[in-house]
Structures are given as structure tokens and as C-alpha cells.
Amino acid sequence: MELYKFLPKTNCKKCGKPTCMAFALDLLQGKVKIDDCPPLLEPKYKKNYNTLKELIGSEEGKEKELRIDVETDLCDGCGICVTVCPVNARYCPPTLSGKAPDYPPEKHQLFQVKAGKCELLAIKYCRRIEAQGRERECRVCETYCPRDAIKIDYV
Amino acid sequence: MKGVKKLVNKRVKCTGCSLLCDDIIVRGDGLYIDEVIGACLKGKEKFEQITGKNRILSPLVRDKGELKKVSLDTALERSIEIMKESSKPLLYGFSTVSCQAQLKGIELAKSINGFIDSNSVICQGKVLNTAKEMGLTLATISEVINKTDLLILWGANAAESIPRLLNKILFSRGKFRMTGREIKTLIIIDPVKTASFGVMGVRDLSLNIDPGKDIELIRVLKEECCTPSGFPADGVAGIDQDDLKRLLIQITNAENAVIFIGQGILSSQTSVNVVHELLDLVHMINIKQQKGRMSIMMLGGHYNMAGFDQVALSLFGKNHSLQFFDNNLVETSETIISKLSKEDFDCSIIVGTDPISHLPWKLSKALMSKPLILIDNKKSATFNVADVILPSSLTGIECEGLAYRLDHVPIELQKIVNPPNNIISDEELLSKLISRLNPI
Ligand code: SF4
Ligand code: SF4
Ligand code: SF4
Ligand code: SF4
């Protein structure tokens, strides 16, 4: 727990949390901000405060909102993303043999090709939001799009 | 206000390319197609051709240098005149029409002592010719989806020419195992870095071969297969020793390998030799392999290129370049290319293709110098020089027909909507020409 190291570790409860550890956990999940810990704002913790700012900056990505951009100009509707996305594979059986899923789309379906172009449907079921552990690191649609038309990003 | 249209979904086949995808969903009310779902851009454009700007909507005849709209009757009459005046007619194209139309085309060639050739002659026809001597192991798409563990794209930019091919063959999961991409290895052999390279994974192998050196690579592989003596230290054809070793291990250990031969090989000058060597290599590996199997798939572009080969082979045992005389097939070693370069013809009937923009300039000029009858549904460079133009409906959209997919599996194409202006199909146009030539 890297963040914990840089907290005052006094368990003073001024933040409203029982311990500094609890605060650190919430900090990691983006539930609280660094400034919510009053002692940290004191000059003697200035260095720790700045280090934390940097650390959070890099971890903040996790809490930003997932964006999957499909560059329609580049896309030629090859349907690889539709087939390769594990969520589609699970909910749309035709994709198992590389076929187009049924229409209208199943509610979990993430991609469909319509009028020759790829459309992103229900981003909320993307493994990067839904899944746990390694599965959460899914990026196959971006990796395998031969046109580099898919960009996974956090904003 | 118009009543609300009741849209129905229908799974149909696409004739955008030789993959003939059978999973395309069209939404429409039976009169029009409103939406196309699942088809790639190329396929969607094919469906849009119904109302496309470059659609040919009426028969045309050239009169004093100008194309004039005429009735179908007049256009047919004019075609008959041209054919009757000619003693050495040339029929060419037939790779984007149904097998039924191809059959009629052959019949027409027969009745006018014509020479008929399909686009296949400058493409996959060469492989089939070579295969007649040495046999050919073909694979089907379903086999590739369900069983193949090694795919080799050789001079084939599948991502461009047949957009959904990689989707089907590489990323589909198949019936017998739930894993797809993970167990399939991809090898791409190509001198240029094409879009297909974009689907490469970590275990895959991309080989940037020197242009025109394919045959050297095949020969070295063949040698290594019979008498392993190690690859030359400085590699072969621009591929280094390590990659050669990996390639050899892959092709000799795969359980079910498929080589996809693309335009890079098919349309090159030396393709006959390359194909010969390649088939030999496949043969050799198949003999040596105990449990595995290696097969070939040809990636022609037009949706029914394989059809003409099949039709002609089944009738005459020869897959292209058929010369007829007195209702009989006569022996000839000519092809469309030699005929055109010698100007050994006096009129041409072009069906569903655009030779003026595909062929070298010299050959196009020869074509242009003689009367040209065009049967097609869209305007092209050939349209601009034709003397008679007979518009046809879109097979697979406006009329039915049979077509052979790239893996030589016959696919029945459906009719979805009615053609505009009561345009008739290629098959009917050709039948009309035949019946007018030989009135009973
Ligand atoms: S306010 Fe800061 S020092 Fe006090 S318990 Fe919370 S995190 Fe720890
Ligand atoms: S994989 Fe890329 S090119 Fe293919 S349909 Fe998806 S976004 Fe389009
Ligand atoms: S990241 Fe994975 S789960 Fe999310 S859309 Fe892409 S392939 Fe599907
Ligand atoms: S890959 Fe070919 S057959 Fe399939 S949808 Fe695209 S153009 Fe049509």
C-alpha cells in the first residue's frame, strides 16, 4: 500500500475515517481527496503531500471514465471487434463462428457493424468496467483492429 | 402521412466479394432495403448499388459516337447484328454473374463460334490448371473456422480484398473448442506491410519477403523437408535463418494448416512456376505428415470467379479459354491476353467486368478498336467505350442465382427486392441473345 506510507499515520481521525489505512483505501478508490486529511496540509507534510499528488495522478486513471473511441473513417466494417470481444462472444452465440450477431442487438452486446461501419453499443458491459482481476485488463478489440480504428482511453 | 413501414430482418448472402458472407442482416419492407447490418463497407456498397449513381438503368446503343437510350429490343437487335457480322467473337468476364449466366455465356459462345474466357485466367485459374497435373488439397471455410491451427497468408492482403475473411477464419472460435485466436497461429508472407499485419499477435510470424523471390523460399523449404541440411546462414529471399527455422517448424508441425494464396502470387508474371512449386511443397508436407494436413485456399476477388472454373470444368474438363467451332470445343492454347495482343478477334462481348481499366493499355486499346457489347449493371471505363450496353439486375439482390464461394462451395443466392425499370438478369439477357440468334 504505497499511499499509506505517505500519510501522517497518526490515526487522528480528523478526516472522519477511523484510521489512516482506511483513508488510504478510500483514497485509492477515489472516494476521498488528499485535501480531506487536514494534517497533510501542514507545512511539515508538504513533501508527502506533493508525493501523494503525483502518485494519485498516476493511479487516478483507474477512476477516470472509460472511453472507447471508434474512428469511423478508418473502420471498414471487418467485424473483428464484434467477434473478438469476449462479452459479445458470451452473449451473442453467432459470433462464435465469426457471424454477425442477431438484430436488434442483445443488451450486453458491445459492438455491431451497421451500414459498413462499427458502432459501439453498451460500453457499461465492457470487461474494463465489469470484470475483476486479469479480465479487467481486456484490450483485445484495440489490439486486433487491423485499421487501428479503436482507441481505449480514460478521460 | 405515410403508414409506418413494417420492417423485417432477413439473413441474406452478400455478393460484395468471393467470401459470400451468409450472415448479413437486411432490414426492409420487401420493396426497399433500409439497413444493412453485419456487412463490411464493401458489402454495404454492393447493396447500395441498387440505387447507386453509376447504375445502368436503360439499354444504350452508340450512334455516331454518342450513347443513346433505346428499348431493350433495339439494343438486342444491334447486338445480334454485331455478332452476325463477326467471325471471331470474344466473350470475356463472367466472374460477377451467376453460374446460370455463365452456362448461358458458354452456350452463346458455342452458337457464334466464339472464344470465351473468364477473369479467372489471369487469377486463380492458373492454380487450377497446375492442379490438374498434381492434385489440389482444398479447405473449406468451416474447416478453417473449426479445425485449422495454422494460417499462412501468402501474398494475400486479406484485410483489403476480402474484409471479413480474417474475422471468420482467425477470430471465430469454432465448434470444438471455445478458444479462437489463441490457438491459431498466423504467418504472413508479403513484401509489403499491409493492413493484414494489424492482426498479428505475439506468437505469429511476419515475413517480409523480397519481391518476386517467393519461389526461392519455397524451394529452400522443399529441400529442408526432404533432406534437412540447415538453412543458409544469410537467409533466403530476405528472410533470416531464425525466421526460416520457425517457419519450417510451424508448417511441419501444424495439425491443420491452410495456405491462403492471394493476388500477390496469383497475378504475378511468374505465378505458374510459383504455384507449381507451392503445390509440390504442400504435397510433400502432406505425405510426410503423419497426423496433420495442409491445404490451400485461393483468394480470388470477384464473387463468382470460382463458378466459371467449376462450370467450364464440369462441361469440358477445361476451366477457362474455351474456343468453339461448329458447336464443338476445339483445342487452343490461346488465352484472352494472347487473343487481345494479337488482335485475333473482331468483336467482343464483355459480361460483368471492366477490362478497360484492369488490362494493360495496349490490350484495352485493342478491345476498344472493335465493336464491344457490354452486359453489366454499373458504369465503368468499359461502359464509356462500349457500342451496345445491356443493363442487368444485381444477382443476389434483385435476382436469384448460384455462385461458388472462394473455397469452391456452391452458395444459392437469393432475391431480396425487385429490380428497377424491370431490368432482367444476366442469364435472361444471354438467353434472349441466344434465342434471337437461333430462331426456331
Ligand atoms: S486525517 Fe489524515 S492523519 Fe488523521 S487519520 Fe485521517 S488520514 Fe490519518
Ligand atoms: S475491428 Fe476495427 S475496422 Fe474492423 S469493424 Fe471493428 S473498428 Fe472497424
Ligand atoms: S476492452 Fe474487451 S470487453 Fe471491452 S469492448 Fe474491448 S474487447 Fe470488449
Ligand atoms: S467480406 Fe465480402 S461477402 Fe462478406 S460482407 Fe464483405 S463484401 Fe460482403
Side-chain angles (χ1 to χ4, degrees):
Chain A
M1 195 66 182
E2 220 185 339
L3 296 177
Y4 176 69
K5 283 196 295 202
F6 298 99
L7 289 175
K9 288 185 264 197
T10 53
N11 297 339
C12 74
K13 301 190 178 66
K14 283 186 193 147
C15 60
K17 305 285 164 202
T19 58
C20 287
M21 189 46 122
F23 183 82
L25 278 171
D26 283 358
L27 196 58
L28 187 66
Q29 289 166 34
K31 288 186 193 158
V32 294
K33 291 198 289 291
I34 309 172
D35 293 7
D36 291 341
C37 163
L40 256 188
L41 301 174
E42 292 165 18
K44 65 171 174 174
Y45 290 118
K46 180 95 177 123
K47 230 177 127 195
N48 284 13
Y49 177 86
N50 289 340
T51 321
L52 276 169
K53 261 269 173 309
E54 268 172 42
L55 279 174
I56 298 282
S58 64
E59 302 225 344
E60 230 165 21
K62 289 212 173 103
E63 298 317 314
K64 284 182 173 178
E65 201 185 332
L66 173 70
R67 270 261 302 276
I68 299 181
D69 281 319
V70 182
E71 185 81 52
T72 339
D73 287 347
L74 297 174
C75 169
D76 72 344
C78 69
I80 287 177
C81 53
V82 181
T83 305
V84 84
C85 172
V87 182
N88 279 8
R90 174 145 173 223
Y91 294 100
C92 318
T95 61
L96 293 179
S97 52
K99 289 187 188 296
D102 290 328
Y103 191 86
E106 209 273 348
K107 77 169 181 164
H108 295 87
Q109 190 181 331
L110 275 157
F111 293 107
Q112 76 170 0
V113 173
K114 193 165 167 182
K117 297 281 180 186
C118 168
E119 283 176 3
L120 182 70
L121 300 170
I123 193 170
K124 66 174 171 191
Y125 297 111
C126 171
R127 284 202 165 173
R128 297 191 78 86
I129 293 176
E130 279 253 289
Q132 298 301 325
R134 254 188 64 211
E135 288 192 345
R136 209 180 156 94
E137 298 303 310
C138 182
R139 204 175 255 279
V140 285
C141 53
E142 188 189 59
T143 313
Y144 287 127
C145 170
R147 308 274 159 175
D148 289 331
I150 300 181
K151 291 274 166 309
I152 293 180
D153 214 346
Y154 287 90
V155 286
Chain B
M1 203 184 105
K2 270 204 277 177
V4 183
K5 278 201 284 187
K6 195 174 174 312
L7 296 182
V8 276
N9 295 350
K10 203 170 153 194
R11 289 251 183 198
V12 299
K13 288 133 203 163
C14 168
T15 54
C17 72
S18 52
L19 189 57
L20 294 174
C21 293
D22 55 1
D23 55 339
I24 310 306
I25 300 169
V26 292
R27 275 166 72 71
D29 54 1
L31 293 174
Y32 301 100
I33 294 177
D34 282 38
E35 277 173 326
V36 181
I37 297 132
C40 67
L41 198 55
K42 205 170 175 180
K44 176 212 145 207
E45 276 163 10
K46 180 82 190 196
F47 284 100
E48 276 175 356
Q49 251 183 46
I50 308 173
T51 52
K53 272 206 298 289
N54 62 354
R55 182 80 197 261
I56 307 174
L57 288 167
S58 102
L60 298 154
V61 166
R62 194 170 295 275
D63 184 18
K64 299 192 191 78
E66 289 272 316
L67 280 176
K68 296 239 163 67
K69 275 191 192 175
V70 293
S71 68
L72 182 59
D73 233 23
T74 322
L76 287 172
E77 272 318 309
R78 180 74 194 109
S79 316
I80 300 291
E81 271 170 38
I82 294 178
M83 285 189 241
K84 283 203 169 141
E85 277 165 22
S86 130
S87 57
K88 288 185 283 186
L90 202 64
L91 291 89
Y92 178 63
F94 297 98
S95 55
T96 59
V97 298
S98 66
C99 289
Q100 287 89 341
Q102 291 166 342
L103 203 58
K104 290 287 173 197
I106 293 177
E107 210 177 302
L108 178 65
K110 233 179 181 176
S111 57
I112 54 175
N113 290 338
F115 175 85
I116 183 167
D117 219 340
S118 93
N119 302 55
S120 164
V121 64
I122 46 172
C123 189
Q124 62 184 26
K126 296 177 204 168
V127 180
L128 293 174
N129 269 347
T130 318
K132 260 186 251 163
E133 301 151 26
M134 30 204 324
L136 182 63
T137 330
L138 286 175
T140 64
I141 295 277
S142 334
E143 190 181 338
V144 180
I145 291 177
N146 294 321
K147 289 191 183 152
T148 298
D149 57 353
L150 174 67
L151 302 101
I152 303 174
L153 292 181
W154 203 315
N157 183 6
E160 301 270 354
S161 55
I162 306 177
R164 293 187 73 213
L165 185 73
L166 290 171
N167 171 17
K168 295 218 166 180
I169 60 176
L170 193 59
F171 292 97
S172 57
R173 284 153 179 92
K175 257 184 214 141
F176 308 118
R177 37 196 177 208
M178 286 301 284
T179 50
R181 185 69 184 89
E182 305 84 58
I183 56 116
K184 286 179 179 163
T185 309
L186 176 70
I187 298 179
I188 303 188
I189 305 176
D190 211 312
V192 274
K193 226 175 162 66
T194 60
S196 308
F197 281 78
V199 297
M200 283 270 164
V202 276
R203 290 185 307 122
D204 301 338
L205 191 56
S206 68
L207 303 173
N208 266 92
I209 192 169
D210 291 342
K213 295 267 180 73
D214 306 82
I215 201 154
E216 285 177 29
L217 174 62
I218 302 170
R219 286 193 178 137
V220 167
L221 287 174
K222 262 168 68 180
E223 249 168 60
E224 271 309 292
C225 277
C226 319
T227 47
S229 57
F231 292 109
D234 51 350
V236 175
I239 299 169
D240 65 34
Q241 210 182 6
D242 286 345
D243 279 350
L244 286 171
K245 279 184 197 153
R246 287 176 65 193
L247 176 63
L248 187 71
I249 291 173
Q250 291 285 3
I251 58 175
T252 47
N253 288 329
E255 271 180 37
N256 189 312
V258 179
I259 302 182
F260 296 82
I261 313 179
Q263 296 299 330
I265 297 240
L266 291 175
S267 42
S268 78
Q269 297 294 326
T270 52
S271 63
V272 176
N273 301 335
V274 180
V275 165
H276 192 278
E277 295 285 315
L278 192 58
L279 292 186
D280 211 24
L281 174 69
V282 171
H283 199 55
M284 227 149 108
I285 289 173
N286 278 337
I287 291 174
K288 280 191 64 163
Q289 277 268 41
Q290 305 289 316
K291 56 186 170 73
R293 178 175 121 97
M294 180 177 257
S295 38
I296 280 198
M297 198 177 280
M298 290 163 286
L299 304 184
H302 296 159
Y303 78 81
N304 197 15
M305 188 178 275
F308 192 88
D309 292 323
Q310 293 288 345
V311 170
L313 263 177
S314 66
L315 289 175
F316 304 105
K318 189 168 183 228
N319 58 328
H320 57 71
S321 308
L322 308 171
Q323 172 74 62
F324 291 97
F325 194 74
D326 277 347
N327 263 326
N328 284 314
L329 185 74
V330 290
E331 206 50 56
T332 177
S333 56
E334 305 271 2
T335 64
I336 179 83
I337 305 294
S338 66
K339 280 265 190 193
L340 285 177
S341 49
K342 283 191 273 181
E343 298 213 23
D344 182 21
F345 69 105
D346 52 12
C347 89
S348 58
I349 300 147
I350 307 292
V351 183
T353 185
D354 181 16
I356 299 290
S357 47
H358 297 160
L359 293 177
W361 171 236
K362 225 187 110 227
L363 304 183
S364 307
K365 229 167 74 186
L367 258 184
M368 276 152 67
S369 65
K370 308 275 159 72
L372 196 159
I373 302 165
L374 175 69
I375 299 182
D376 205 350
N377 43 50
K378 59 175 190 299
K379 293 176 188 164
S380 58
T382 310
F383 170 89
N384 291 324
V385 303
D387 297 283
V388 182
I389 293 149
L390 303 168
S392 62
S393 53
L394 298 162
T395 309
I397 301 177
E398 296 165 350
C399 61
E400 294 171 351
L402 186 79
Y404 277 80
R405 199 164 64 186
L406 49 83
D407 53 356
H408 291 247
V409 170
I411 305 274
E412 196 70 62
L413 301 172
Q414 71 287 314
K415 174 179 173 170
I416 309 169
V417 292
N418 285 323
N421 295 2
N422 295 321
I423 291 176
I424 58 177
S425 68
D426 303 283
E427 183 195 355
E428 286 168 291
L429 283 170
L430 288 161
S431 318
K432 277 191 193 295
L433 286 175
I434 295 168
S435 59
R436 277 176 195 233
L437 270 173
N438 321 310
I440 324 147

